Amino acid sequence: MLNLPNKITISRIFLIPLFIIVLTINFDWGEINIGNNALPITQLVGSIIFIFASLTDWLDGYIARKYDLITNMGKFLDPLADKLLVSAAFIMLIELQIAPAWIIIIIISREFAITGFRLVASGEGVVLAASSMGKLKTVSQILAVILLMLNNFPFSYTNIPVDMIMLYIALIFTVWSGLDYFIKNWNVMRDSK
């Protein structure tokens, strides 16, 4: 039976198709002016769905730790849900012509590489915990997605491209945390024969 944190995690996975549908189907809901930019209402709704889904990541982890409801299913589903949500959001940013594809390719490639690395470790009976650098990576990615989807609101009033700056910060943390992860755990890749 699924416990509450796992149900919350699964709800995050189910929000991903809704997020994609809102952003890809040509709903003509108009635009609103925020900051110095016009923002399509579909993009605003997509942003709200993404923010809500991102908050469920914090919520399921909090409940699981507080009430000792950590399960193997949760250990599997939670990072999977995170990667699916963030990857879908980044791909949608390319679709909407908001983010450069080369940055998104690097970010998603890192996620695949670390997932593959974790699978190898798991096959050897080693569980690789997330690092604090990985958590910074995730937070910076989520903030970048939100700012980009909201057309740099509220910073659009200042004409400082905080959305793009945050995307580059997310890129740096993504690469750095990936390298850190491989370096610290490289012994898992050594053959024992």
Side-chain angles (χ1 to χ4, degrees):
M1 184 148 196
L2 293 174
N3 64 22
L4 181 58
N6 291 342
K7 288 177 182 175
I8 294 170
T9 301
I10 290 170
S11 74
R12 182 160 70 255
I13 293 171
F14 282 115
L15 284 172
I16 296 168
L18 178 63
F19 169 76
I20 293 169
I21 288 167
V22 166
L23 292 176
T24 55
I25 293 180
N26 194 13
F27 296 115
D28 188 16
W29 293 342
E31 297 179 334
I32 60 168
N33 289 320
I34 60 170
N36 292 331
N37 301 313
L39 179 70
I41 292 177
T42 52
Q43 221 168 292
L44 175 63
V45 172
S47 301
I48 292 167
I49 294 168
F50 179 80
I51 291 166
F52 179 76
S54 297
L55 289 173
T56 66
D57 180 29
W58 170 82
L59 182 62
D60 63 14
Y62 173 78
I63 292 171
R65 285 185 299 274
K66 181 170 182 172
Y67 297 103
D68 195 25
L69 296 172
I70 297 170
T71 63
N72 286 334
M73 179 181 271
K75 289 178 189 176
F76 167 74
L77 283 178
D78 187 61
L80 176 65
D82 297 345
K83 286 179 186 1
L84 289 172
L85 176 65
V86 172
S87 295
F90 275 131
I91 291 167
M92 290 311 302
L93 289 174
I94 296 171
E95 173 73 17
L96 298 170
Q97 299 179 357
I98 295 173
W102 70 270
I103 293 176
I104 306 311
I105 290 168
I106 291 171
I107 289 172
I108 292 175
S109 296
R110 181 265 189 210
E111 300 304 334
F112 277 112
I114 295 300
T115 300
F117 192 71
R118 280 191 165 143
L119 285 172
V120 169
S122 177
E124 297 295 318
V126 177
V127 176
L128 300 176
S131 67
S132 57
M133 182 64 67
K135 292 180 192 333
L136 280 173
K137 178 257 326 173
T138 302
V139 170
S140 66
Q141 288 177 353
I142 290 170
L143 289 174
V145 168
I146 293 168
L147 288 169
L148 287 162
M149 288 194 64
L150 292 176
N151 288 348
N152 200 36
F153 178 80
F155 302 101
S156 54
Y157 289 108
T158 66
N159 291 324
I160 299 171
V162 176
D163 54 351
M164 287 305 295
I165 293 167
M166 197 70 229
L167 181 61
Y168 281 102
I169 290 170
L171 175 64
I172 291 165
F173 279 140
T174 299
V175 171
W176 187 5
S177 67
L179 290 172
D180 180 63
Y181 202 81
F182 276 109
I183 291 166
K184 286 182 177 173
N185 299 294
W186 188 250
N187 60 317
V188 171
M189 296 300 280
R190 292 190 187 139
D191 289 327
S192 57
K193 296 178 185 177

